[in-house]
Amino acid sequence: MAEKLNFTQKRIAELPIPESGRLEYYDSGCPKLTCRVSSTGVKSFVLLKWTGRTAQRVTLGRFPDLTVDDARWMARDALGEFAQGVNPTEEKRKQRHRNITLQELLDKYLADKTDLREASVLDYTKKIKQGFPDWLDKPISEITRDKVLAQRTKLTGGRDNKLRVLRLLKNTAEI
């Protein structure tokens, strides 16, 4: 079982570094706040929240960049978000994708999917550039359902396949 102690700057600085893996220490001053100490010497403040069957981890920051008081404040703030039904980690991920353009999303998708055949890569690129050339520099969050429906009527030849690739990319961004 992980050790429970009252976090202070001095105590966190003095926490031993494990030879392998990582250790977790729980804060007695703020429930669900932990300090993870890895074998590389990194000490991170993490909020550990159980939601039903799974544990949700929200990394708040690294020690000493983040003080104990700041970590406690951030943990309480994140717990408030959880209470409202918002997962802070999911929100951060969604925020990163809100400003990404269609071209950047396509490039990222193709780079991440290393198991795609070369023909598929060329086909996806061709379909997006043929079907949505004006949207390549637009943020993906601005591509709404209404815009897609309006564009759908303008598409010819392989319309459904072009829309399928667009839907694939939009689902990847999960906005």
Side-chain angles (χ1 to χ4, degrees), residues 32 58 64 113 129-130 137-138 148:
K32 299 176 183 39
V58 179
K113 290 289 186 179
K129 289 188 178 186
Q130 281 180 347
D137 294 330
K138 283 189 177 187
V148 172

Side-chain angles (χ1 to χ4, degrees), residues 1 7 35 38 41 48 50 75 83 101 103 116 135 145 150 171:
M1 177 158 175
F7 287 176
C35 181
S38 70
L48 184 61
W50 284 94
T101 65
Q103 181 66 53
L116 282 178
W135 295 359
R145 180 178 176 82
N171 287 344

Side-chain angles (χ1 to χ4, degrees), residues 93-145:
R93 187 186 52 73
K94 286 180 182 177
Q95 187 61 36
R96 276 195 309 268
H97 283 99
R98 282 191 180 111
N99 298 326
I100 192 170
T101 65
L102 181 59
Q103 181 66 53
E104 291 170 338
L105 184 60
L106 175 65
D107 294 341
K108 182 179 180 327
Y109 179 80
L110 296 176
D112 290 347
K113 290 289 186 179
T114 56
D115 58 341
L116 282 178
R117 296 180 328 201
E118 186 63 30
S120 296
V121 171
L122 294 172
D123 188 47
Y124 288 1
T125 304
K126 178 182 172 185
K127 285 187 180 4
I128 289 295
K129 289 188 178 186
Q130 281 180 347
F132 314 99
D134 299 340
W135 295 359
L136 291 173
D137 294 330
K138 283 189 177 187
I140 194 77
S141 60
E142 289 182 14
I143 300 173
T144 62
R145 180 178 176 82

